[in-house]
């Protein structure tokens, strides 16, 4: 099949006229039966062979095409009586009210109509939607009590949803409605918003029903040989049956009542045929009780034709499996199981240069790994290599053929994790074929995908075209995505043990022997020459800083405060005993430690500087090697955490208890002051609110104090024991957890809250029967003074569960809400594009912004959102001067 | 609070249209009934220059064309 490219200029929607329906109908459907006893479709039945073919091997009786060639043809059902189309019932209602019941003219004086007509023309000319004018016209016409043309008094028309109209006391039958709509003049119809080329008012009442081709409603043959019809066919059978009965009754001259009942039933079936979820109409059901999926249901919603088949489609050349970590591959790579690599293929055009190589792949076939799954001849026909007769195919291969070879190391593929919320959710990786069955990825790319390894699965797409491959490589490769357009800093970077490792290696006093240094550097793949060792008491050693310095560009100068910085009032700068002041001169880290602020995701200053000043290649290399060095360092030093990391001395525990006792006492005092009326009211607050605020404040202060004590003791005890407290190291270096987490584990969990308040709900005047009514004390309202390590008492546990439940509900609600918000936002913004002149325009070329973001800056190339960071520039010049002075 | 609105002189309009290679129809619209439009007495077809204070750019310039409502 040849594809002729065409450009759709516009799409016009209209109504089908009865004449047109009859014209396109290839067959008049008269019987409700589908197949005869022999299983052949009945002519004039719903499976009429003129409506197209679904069975392979048969030819269409209308066009002679086979399955796939014949698009299917419409049939028609001549309705015995007209029926309202549910989808237009609302429009019919509006129009009925706006026209005269006798002469069918619009209920407005001629000059008014002319005015509206003019306005509509004006709106059309400037390309503005005329609906508001039509809406206004219909509203005004509705008010009129007497016709301007025939002087007929107008009666109120009631619309009884979904398809019934009542005038005064009389019910208007669809025939009456249709007659009235027919009387509307073309001129009037035009100002009511009709495009006469494609619609007339009376076409909203059906007299003939189009029957969709069988290709639209294919029947399924079950294993038992039984046929199962599509929901639409079922519905059409219902319609036909009633239509038939109605016809017979009319012809037999049956009583009006019976005819009306049948007519009503026909209306019901046609209504549900269009839409089975109309309010006020019981949905038509399958024998099993499942509601039928009719026309509207096919199109609507997430599983409908639009969102599920047109906006989004299933794709070939893709794979999905569980992910697992591999710190030994580059951030640019992805580990692909051989199993997957044998299934996914890349088309390679055979040339005189690669023919020998390609033949080797074809020889291997689809079962031996570096092979090929099929070959494509220049005429487009394909030969599968899934068989053992590859020899004869090899003979025939010549330049011009296309070989679909297995995925191999170095191929560029797209890697994705849902929900794809930002552009870093799909990045291009280089393939690394590996054993086993999971996709492997470097841990540094976990943050952009928001991936972990508790069972997450990810998708992989093999790129098929050269253009796409080149584009993916240049624009989508992981290293190109290190800087996030969200905040202008690195989103890809070290996490967890990479941070702890770098911190442990670079802390003041950590030293490595020559052998250790060599081992670490070798493991990290660093081939640089070791610098001069530091000599102390005749022993030579190296510091972690020296090792990391080997990874830096030779001319980098940078000064920043590390994550561990405690923000002392007087900063000792380079002499900081904790190493919180990082100074890098001429590619050498002179002081400080490396932690989250150096190369962590979301925070890494050093990494940020390297990407921005030395490019993505340098950044990728730095990240790969630095993380490897850190991981090997932490392995050498040894690192582990356990519950004893939360052990406190008796003295510390006593001090914590004392603080909590005092806090609870202070709360009692506040309550007493409140009761006596001497509590000082805060401006803009009631007395009750004041009390609550003061209590919350007191308790949170107390919790913070206990946290500080715990931290103090943990720090002290690790000094005394000469053993580090791992939990604390992780918290202060930014690897994982916070000091608050530590506080809650070791000292005190603190106040539990529901809706931002202390816990107030439960029984009358109290949270639990264990308290007196009106008790406003700390414990009675959900203050948990225990620590996770110590354990909670039953009441505390209960309050904690209440707070915890709120957290869970919040996350569930937030994800669904933000998901919908994201969908709407993206639908609104998806076609906007920044043009070369920096303006943001839509597809029509209409300008939305004259400079993107008002400053025309690409946020990912800014310094954490700022176009120029003056202090940083000054710093870099000062740093440069300093380093020049040093050398 | 409300950023500075002013009617752009004819020559300036030409210059802007040329700068962005656009027609008047491609400039964002503003209704004639907008309070600021009324205040500076702009008529449909006029182009209004809006000078806004911007967090990112300090000052940013925006153009809108007046349309009747």
């Amino acid at each position: 099949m040849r594809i002729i490219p065409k450009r759709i200029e516009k799409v016009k929607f209209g109504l089908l006229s009865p004449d047109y329906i009859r014209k396109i109908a290839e067959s008049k459907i008269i019987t409700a039966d589908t197949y005869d006893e022999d299983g052949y479709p009945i002519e004039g039945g719903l499976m009429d062979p003129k409506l197209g073919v679904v069975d392979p091997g048969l030819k269409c009786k209308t066009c002679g095409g086979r399955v796939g060639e014949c698009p299917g043809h419409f049939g028609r059902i001549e309705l015995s009586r007209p029926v309202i189309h549910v989808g237009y019932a609302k429009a019919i209602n509006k129009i009925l009210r706006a026209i005269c019941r006798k002469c069918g003219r619009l209920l407005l004086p001629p000059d008014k109509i002319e005015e509206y007509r003019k306005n509509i023309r004006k709106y059309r000319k400037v390309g503005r939607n005329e609906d508001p004018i039509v809406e206004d016209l219909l509203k005004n016409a509705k008010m009129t009590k007497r016709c301007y043309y025939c002087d007929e008094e107008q009666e109120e028309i009631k619309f009884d949803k979904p398809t019934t109209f009542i005038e005064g006391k009389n019910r208007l039958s669809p025939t009456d409605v249709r007659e009235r709509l027919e009387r509307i003049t073309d001129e009037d119809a035009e100002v009511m918003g009709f495009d006469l080329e494609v619609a007339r008012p009376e076409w909203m009442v059906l007299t003939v029903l189009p029957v969709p081709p069988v290709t639209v409603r294919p029947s399924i043959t079950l294993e038992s040989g039984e046929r199962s019809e599509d929901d639409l066919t079922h519905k059409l059978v219902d319609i036909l049956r009633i239509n038939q009965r109605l016809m017979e009754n009319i012809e037999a001259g049956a009583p009006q009542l019976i005819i009306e009942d049948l007519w009503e039933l026909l209306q019901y079936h046609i209504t549900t045929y269009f839409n089975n979820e109309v309010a006020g109409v019981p949905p038509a059901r399958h024998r099993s009780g499942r509601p039928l999926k009719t026309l509207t249901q096919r199109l609507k919603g997430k599983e409908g034709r639009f969102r599920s088949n047109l906006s989004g489609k299933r794709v070939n050349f893709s794979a999905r499996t569980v992910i697992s970590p591999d710190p030994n591959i580059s951030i640019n790579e992805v580990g692909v199981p051989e199993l997957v690599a044998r299934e996914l293929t890349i088309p390679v055009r055979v040339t005189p240069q690669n023919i020998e190589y390609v033949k080797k792949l074809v020889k291997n076939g689809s079962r031996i790994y570096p092979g090929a799954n099929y070959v494509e001849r220049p005429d487009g026909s394909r030969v599968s290599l899934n068989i053992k007769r590859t020899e004869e195919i090899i003979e025939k291969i010549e330049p011009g053929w296309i070989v679909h070879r297995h995925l191999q190391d170095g191929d560029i593929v797209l890697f994705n994790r849902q929900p794809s919320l930002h552009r870093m959710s799909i990045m291009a990786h280089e393939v690394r074929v590996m054993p086993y069955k999971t996709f492997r990825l470097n841990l540094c790319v976990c943050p952009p995908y928001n991936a972990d390894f508790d069972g997450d699965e990810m998708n992989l797409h093999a790129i098929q075209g050269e253009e796409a491959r080149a584009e993916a490589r240049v624009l989508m490769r992981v290293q190109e995505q290190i800087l996030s357009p969200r905040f202008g800093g690195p989103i890809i970077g070290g996490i967890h043990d990479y941070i702890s490792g770098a911190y442990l290696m670079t802390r003041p006093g950590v030293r490595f022997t020559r052998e250790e240094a060599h081992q670490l550097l070798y493991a990290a793949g660093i081939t640089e020459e070791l610098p001069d060792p530091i000599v102390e008491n005749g022993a030579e050693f190296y510091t972690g800083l020296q090792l990391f310095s080997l990874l830096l560009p030779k001319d980098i100068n940078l000064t920043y405060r590390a994550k561990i910085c405690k923000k002392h009032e007087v900063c000792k700068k380079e002499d900081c005993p904790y190493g919180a002041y990082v100074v890098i001169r001429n590619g050498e880290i002179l002081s400080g430690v490396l932690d989250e602020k150096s190369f962590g995701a979301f925070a890494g200053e050093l990494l940020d500087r390297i990407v921005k000043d030395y490019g993505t290649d340098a950044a990728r290399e730095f990240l790969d090697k630095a993380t490897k060095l850190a991981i090997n360092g932490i392995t050498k030093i040894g690192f582990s955490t356990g519950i004893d990391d939360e052990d406190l001395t008796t003295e510390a525990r006593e001090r914590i208890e004392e603080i909590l006792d005092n806090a609870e006492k202070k709360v009692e005092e506040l309550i007493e002051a409140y009761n006596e009326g001497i509590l000082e009211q805060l401006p803009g607050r009631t007395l009750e609110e004041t009390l609550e605020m003061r209590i919350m404040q007191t308790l949170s202060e107390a919790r913070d104090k206990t946290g500080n004590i715990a931290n103090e003791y943990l720090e002290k005890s690790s000094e005394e024991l000469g053993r580090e407290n791992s939990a604390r190291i992780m918290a202060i270096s930014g690897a994982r957890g916070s000091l608050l987490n530590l506080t809650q584990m070791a000292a005190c969990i603190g106040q539990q809250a529901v809706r931002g308040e202390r816990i107030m709900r439960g029984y009358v005047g109290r949270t639990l029967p264990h308290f007196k009514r009106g008790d406003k004390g700390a414990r009675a309202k959900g203050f948990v003074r225990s620590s996770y390590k110590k354990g909670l008492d039953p009441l505390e546990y209960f309050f904690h569960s209440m707070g915890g439940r709120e957290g869970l509900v919040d996350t569930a609600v937030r994800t669904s809400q933000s998901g919908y918000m994201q969908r709407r936002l993206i639908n609104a913004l998806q076609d906007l594009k920044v043009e070369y002149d920096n303006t943001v325009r839509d597809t029509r070329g209409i300008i939305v912004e004259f400079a993107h973001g008002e400053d025309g800056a690409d946020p990912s190339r800014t310094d954490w959102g700022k176009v120029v960071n003056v202090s940083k520039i000054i710093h870099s010049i000062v740093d440069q001067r300093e380093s020049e002075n040093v050398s | 609070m409300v950023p500075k609105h002013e009617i752009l002189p004819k020559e300036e309009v030409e210059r802007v249209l040329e700068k962005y290679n656009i027609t008047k129809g491609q400039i964002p619209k503003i209704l004639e009934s907008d309070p600021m439009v009324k205040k500076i007495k702009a008529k449909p077809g006029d182009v209004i220059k809006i000078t806004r204070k911007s967090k990112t750019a300090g000052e940013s310039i925006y153009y809108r064309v007046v349309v009747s409502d």
Side-chain angles (χ1 to χ4, degrees), chain A residues 385-404:
Chain A
L385 298 176
N386 198 10
I387 26 84
K388 285 188 176 154
R389 56 184 168 92
T390 51
E391 295 298 331
E392 49 186 282
I393 295 166
I394 292 173
E395 298 290 293
K396 286 188 214 149
I397 287 181
E398 54 188 62
W401 286 42
I402 296 166
V403 172
H404 293 259

Side-chain angles (χ1 to χ4, degrees), chain A residues 122-123 126-128 837 839 841 844-851 853-855 865 867, chain B residues 19-22 25-28 31 52-57 60-63 68-69:
Chain A
K122 210 169 87 188
Y123 267 47
V126 292
R128 236 170 106 179
D837 66 354
T839 57
R841 304 186 192 204
R844 297 168 299 173
I846 290 175
I847 292 179
V848 177
E849 270 191 307
F850 287 88
E854 296 187 330
D855 58 0
V867 178
Chain B
K19 179 178 169 193
Y20 293 109
N21 190 22
I22 49 172
Q26 285 165 281
I27 301 177
L31 281 185
R52 299 187 180 127
K53 275 192 182 142
S54 157
K55 267 187 194 166
T56 50
S60 85
I61 292 166
Y62 203 82
Y63 302 100
S68 55
D69 45 9

Side-chain angles (χ1 to χ4, degrees), chain A residues 398-637:
Chain A
E398 54 188 62
W401 286 42
I402 296 166
V403 172
H404 293 259
R405 56 148 244 253
H406 290 156
L407 218 51
Q408 288 177 11
D409 284 4
D411 284 336
I412 294 275
V413 293
L414 300 186
F415 203 40
N416 159 241
R417 179 180 177 274
Q418 283 103 353
S420 314
L421 294 176
H422 56 192
R423 71 172 202 215
M424 290 80 75
S425 290
I426 304 178
M427 293 191 284
H429 290 247
E430 280 163 26
V431 168
R432 192 78 184 256
V433 179
M434 292 180 158
Y436 311 119
K437 291 182 175 175
T438 58
F439 287 137
R440 250 57 60 83
L441 51 102
N442 186 296
L443 288 118
C444 293
V445 294
C446 284
Y449 290 122
N450 192 17
D452 50 35
F453 305 105
D454 60 3
D456 290 27
E457 291 184 60
M458 283 179 73
N459 307 319
L460 183 136
H461 299 267
I463 299 174
Q464 299 294 305
E466 296 299 342
E467 272 171 298
R469 192 160 14 254
E471 220 171 280
R473 176 171 227 122
V474 174
L475 301 172
M476 300 174 70
R477 209 140 61 117
V478 176
Q479 67 178 54
E480 310 299 329
Q481 307 292 331
I482 294 175
L483 292 173
S484 164
R486 190 166 83 210
F487 50 83
I491 193 175
I492 292 168
I495 51 170
H496 304 168
D497 277 5
Y498 292 140
I499 309 290
S500 327
Y503 174 65
L504 289 174
M505 284 176 73
T506 53
R507 261 186 329 168
V510 178
R511 36 188 71 177
F512 299 98
T513 63
R514 188 179 197 84
E515 285 70 31
E516 285 171 331
H518 275 302
Q519 277 169 24
L520 288 173
L521 293 180
Y522 174 75
I526 301 163
T527 49
E528 247 89 344
E529 203 69 29
L530 265 179
D532 293 337
I534 291 169
V535 186
E536 206 168 77
N537 303 331
E540 290 187 344
F541 64 86
Y542 297 90
T543 64
L545 290 178
Q546 284 180 303
L547 303 185
F548 275 102
S549 296
L550 294 174
L551 301 172
L552 298 179
K554 292 293 156 260
D555 56 346
I556 191 168
N557 289 295
L558 190 63
T559 312
Y560 65 90
R561 288 201 167 87
K563 167 83 186 189
I564 57 159
C565 177
K566 287 184 180 159
K567 311 203 167 65
H568 291 116
E569 268 165 44
V570 189
C571 184
K572 289 193 206 152
K573 304 224 161 164
E574 287 87 343
D575 303 320
C576 180
Y578 305 100
Y581 197 76
V582 184
V583 181
I584 301 170
R585 293 286 173 273
N586 285 331
E588 200 174 329
I589 312 168
L590 299 179
S591 77
V593 295
L594 296 185
D595 59 11
E596 198 190 5
K597 281 290 255 331
S598 60
F599 61 87
F602 300 107
E605 297 254 2
L606 178 55
L607 177 61
D608 180 61
R609 182 39 45 90
I610 294 175
V611 203
K612 279 170 186 160
D613 290 356
Y614 300 90
T616 52
D617 277 324
R620 189 245 305 136
E621 200 186 327
F622 168 72
L623 205 50
D624 279 343
K625 289 187 175 169
T627 50
K628 261 184 206 163
L629 184 57
I631 245 16
N632 284 294
I634 197 173
T635 316
K636 184 142 214 100
I637 293 165

Side-chain angles (χ1 to χ4, degrees), chain B residues 12-37:
Chain B
E12 284 285 293
V13 174
E14 289 302 318
R15 202 185 54 77
V16 169
L17 293 183
E18 202 168 311
K19 179 178 169 193
Y20 293 109
N21 190 22
I22 49 172
T23 61
K24 257 189 196 173
Q26 285 165 281
I27 301 177
K29 293 172 188 138
I30 186 167
L31 281 185
E32 194 186 359
S33 56
D34 188 282
M36 273 318 280
V37 175

Side-chain angles (χ1 to χ4, degrees), chain A residues 244-355:
Chain A
Q244 199 70 17
R245 262 187 41 211
L246 181 58
M247 176 75 84
E248 283 159 12
N249 275 291
I250 293 168
E251 277 166 7
Q256 193 62 24
L257 212 67
I258 291 177
I259 291 182
E260 262 174 34
D261 274 0
L262 282 171
W263 196 353
E264 189 78 1
L265 198 55
L266 182 67
Q267 175 75 61
Y268 165 79
H269 282 308
I270 291 182
T271 301
T272 50
Y273 167 71
F274 283 116
N275 183 359
N276 205 9
E277 280 168 359
V278 186
V281 176
R285 286 172 194 282
H286 203 252
R287 258 167 299 165
S288 61
R290 166 184 68 83
L292 292 173
K293 213 175 163 199
T294 52
L295 286 174
T296 307
Q297 280 66 48
R298 280 199 177 188
L299 309 178
K300 227 167 110 185
K302 200 172 179 179
E303 263 103 65
R305 196 92 324 138
F306 291 105
R307 272 177 77 181
S308 172
N309 301 114
L310 292 163
S311 300
K313 288 186 167 75
R314 289 177 177 269
V315 292
N316 288 328
F317 306 105
S318 64
R320 178 183 176 95
T321 182
V322 176
I323 51 166
S324 46
D326 189 340
N328 296 316
I329 61 174
S330 164
I331 56 166
N332 268 344
E333 293 179 309
V334 58
V336 179
E338 199 189 296
L339 224 68
V340 170
R342 280 207 308 258
E343 198 65 46
L344 298 180
T345 58
I346 292 212
V348 179
R349 175 151 253 130
V350 180
T351 61
Q353 288 77 33
N354 70 10
I355 191 156

